Amino acid sequence: MIYEFIATITAGFGMAGIAMIIRHLTKFAGKQAPKWLIPIFAAIGMLGFQIHQEYNWQQQQIDRLPEQVKVVKTVEGQAWYRPWSYLKPQVIRFMAVEAGEPLGSDINLTTEDIRRSNIYLFERRISTKIIPQLVNCQQPAITSLTTKAPLSAATFKQLQWQPLAADNEILQVVCQ
């Protein structure tokens, strides 16, 4: 976030520099541009950079993700204090899921195909939340894990499974 702040200030100084060049060039033309042009250009530069970041933060986060992590849902929004968002809604949060690893020999399972995965919840200017999950690929269902410690058979039986639709994107990514 500190880098974004520094980049915003730099954009303001850059645009103010362009305004200063315009003022000096207009002086040679016989009329000088007004002094208020410099802070207006600085504000336009800073606001323009922030708008650019609002629309590109999602792709910047996706570019940092490993190959096995896929985006499954995005939420777009509009705000009165961001009037440009009414022209093109911006992504305010999104969810990504990593491809699942077979649960393997953690516990003695029947023939069910159960995989361990993580769901990542991203939101602008908020830390990423990681939620460990178990997904049953044969009987589409999902459950949250409270720990990454190895599961025991007793703990496994106590898990609360939520059914998933067969075409659910989480199921498709985890069970691929």
Side-chain angles (χ1 to χ4, degrees), residues 46-124:
M46 294 168 72
L47 185 62
F49 178 76
Q50 282 300 307
I51 292 171
H52 174 268
Q53 285 299 100
E54 291 290 331
Y55 283 102
N56 290 309
W57 76 272
Q58 178 196 17
Q59 192 57 48
Q60 292 168 359
Q61 292 296 323
I62 291 171
D63 291 343
R64 293 181 190 159
L65 294 174
E67 238 179 74
Q68 68 269 19
V69 178
K70 303 289 184 224
V71 175
V72 293
K73 184 172 183 171
T74 59
V75 177
E76 293 182 340
Q78 302 166 331
W80 65 269
Y81 52 88
R82 292 180 179 135
W84 52 87
S85 67
Y86 288 101
L87 297 174
K88 181 183 178 204
Q90 51 194 93
V91 174
I92 54 175
R93 66 178 76 88
F94 69 96
M95 179 171 63
V97 178
E98 71 180 345
E101 301 173 0
L103 197 57
S105 61
D106 288 352
I107 57 175
N108 291 329
L109 295 174
T110 58
T111 59
E112 295 183 46
D113 182 16
I114 297 182
R115 296 178 182 241
R116 184 185 302 256
S117 181
N118 288 319
I119 292 180
Y120 299 92
L121 303 175
F122 293 90
E123 192 168 348
R124 179 90 168 119

Side-chain angles (χ1 to χ4, degrees), residues 24-39:
H24 287 295
L25 291 176
T26 57
K27 190 187 301 184
F28 294 126
K31 285 188 172 179
Q32 189 171 8
K35 287 183 178 181
W36 53 261
L37 198 64
I38 295 170

Side-chain angles (χ1 to χ4, degrees), residues 68-74 94-101 113-121 131-144 161-176:
Q68 68 269 19
V69 178
K70 303 289 184 224
V71 175
V72 293
K73 184 172 183 171
T74 59
F94 69 96
M95 179 171 63
V97 178
E98 71 180 345
E101 301 173 0
D113 182 16
I114 297 182
R115 296 178 182 241
R116 184 185 302 256
S117 181
N118 288 319
I119 292 180
Y120 299 92
L121 303 175
I131 305 168
Q133 301 283 311
L134 286 181
V135 176
N136 187 333
C137 296
Q138 282 183 336
Q139 301 171 4
I142 191 168
T143 187
S144 293
W161 292 87
Q162 302 297 319
L164 289 174
D167 63 344
N168 188 295
E169 290 184 50
I170 294 174
L171 186 68
Q172 292 174 359
V173 171
V174 173
C175 297
Q176 65 181 343

